Amino acid sequence: MDCYHKNFNSLPTFVEAKKNENSVKIVIDQLLALLSKEERNLFGFALLHKHFDIANDETVVERPYKDYSIIEPTRQVNRDIITPYLFNYNEKWNPLEFVKLSEDEPTAFQTAKKAQNYLDSENGKEFCVKIASKLQELNLDKVIGLAVNHRKHISEQSSFDSTLETEYEGERTLKISPMNKVFGETTETFFFPKGGDGTCIHGCKHCSSHKQTTLHHCKHCSIHVCSHKH
């Protein structure tokens, strides 16, 4: 983890990353088609970006609750109770963000842990090589990352099978909650497959033109919508 903060801080900002949205959409079906049935139940792809920089002793950790999650940089992390759910490829696959084991909502951690166990298997290692090679072939290894679909406990409580990501209580704290309202212009940043056909049905979307004053919505002009249709 010595180079973790340098790798994370090297990610493009959201403003920079959203310029690549169309490039991702053009190739996403090719990428999703590479996933086996088992892999489709766990993985998808992400438009790589960051919301903030971190210090060399910080780790970006998601803490799940019953109907929402909080994501923020954390110090003095117990590595035994976190597992990664987002990765980028930079000579090797590197973890970017982690989910913490939570008594309130253990399934998010369990799903991400299952994904990590798969990546550590022989099949998983082959999968990692295959995805990295394809991203390099497409010249998108700095643009697209590998993501785990671990937030179904939130999306299932949404009127739109979706989740809403907002900044609140400071510029380096994010809240993931069920989306029950439609927003305007968005940028899709997460892509997960649908069942067995490999087509994309779920994406985290960012709306940069909407402001709210409550903690449950946007305080910093940055809203992210994740749709989960199963």
Side-chain angles (χ1 to χ4, degrees):
M1 298 291 291
D2 291 343
C3 297
Y4 167 74
H5 75 285
K6 293 181 181 178
N7 181 54
F8 184 91
N9 290 342
S10 71
L11 295 174
T13 65
F14 171 63
V15 173
E16 295 167 337
K18 69 180 183 178
K19 299 174 184 178
N20 294 315
E21 180 188 14
N22 288 336
S23 297
V24 177
K25 288 184 173 181
I26 289 171
V27 303
I28 194 61
D29 285 342
Q30 295 181 47
L31 294 172
L32 291 171
L34 298 175
L35 275 59
S36 69
K37 182 177 180 180
E38 182 177 6
E39 292 157 359
R40 285 196 294 271
N41 289 329
L42 294 172
F43 301 104
F45 298 94
L47 175 63
L48 293 170
H49 65 282
K50 64 181 177 182
H51 298 279
F52 42 72
D53 285 332
I54 59 173
N56 59 9
D57 60 347
E58 292 181 322
T59 303
V60 180
V61 177
E62 174 180 343
R63 201 315 190 165
Y65 295 86
K66 284 295 183 183
D67 59 354
Y68 67 96
S69 285
I70 298 295
I71 303 174
E72 58 190 349
T74 305
R75 289 186 168 92
Q76 297 180 339
V77 175
N78 181 349
R79 300 288 172 187
D80 293 332
I81 58 172
I82 64 170
T83 194
Y85 67 85
L86 182 64
F87 308 81
N88 73 328
Y89 187 79
N90 185 6
E91 297 184 353
K92 63 184 181 66
W93 285 105
N94 303 283
L96 294 170
E97 298 179 8
F98 298 76
V99 60
K100 181 180 180 180
L101 178 60
S102 167
E103 293 182 358
D104 297 290
E105 177 41 66
T107 61
F109 175 88
Q110 290 167 356
T111 299
K113 189 64 176 178
K114 182 179 180 180
Q116 182 61 59
N117 290 339
Y118 180 78
L119 294 178
D120 290 337
S121 70
E122 290 304 315
N123 286 342
K125 292 174 183 177
E126 293 177 5
F127 168 68
C128 288
V129 171
K130 177 173 64 176
I131 298 302
S133 297
K134 187 63 175 179
L135 290 176
Q136 290 177 311
E137 175 190 326
L138 296 169
N139 198 29
L140 291 173
D141 50 308
K142 307 303 183 193
V143 174
I144 299 175
L146 186 66
V148 178
N149 189 4
H150 69 296
R151 294 178 183 151
K152 295 178 183 178
H153 67 286
I154 301 177
S155 63
E156 290 170 353
Q157 301 184 54
S158 164
S159 301
F160 301 95
D161 293 323
S162 305
T163 59
L164 181 70
E165 183 175 291
T166 56
E167 297 178 358
Y168 85 112
E169 291 187 347
E171 296 181 354
R172 300 203 308 156
T173 302
L174 304 173
K175 182 175 183 177
I176 312 294
S177 54
M179 189 188 77
N180 291 302
K181 180 179 178 180
V182 176
F183 295 92
E185 183 181 354
T186 60
T187 300
E188 195 161 12
T189 57
F190 278 82
F191 305 83
F192 291 98
K194 175 182 179 180
D197 62 10
T199 58
C200 176
I201 52 83
H202 154 173
C204 182
K205 300 180 180 180
H206 299 238
C207 173
S208 58
S209 61
H210 180 81
K211 293 184 180 180
Q212 295 283 344
T213 57
T214 66
L215 296 185
H216 293 283
H217 296 286
C218 183
K219 292 179 65 180
H220 303 281
C221 194
S222 179
I223 284 186
H224 325 285
V225 180
C226 299
S227 66
H228 303 241
K229 298 185 182 297
H230 303 290

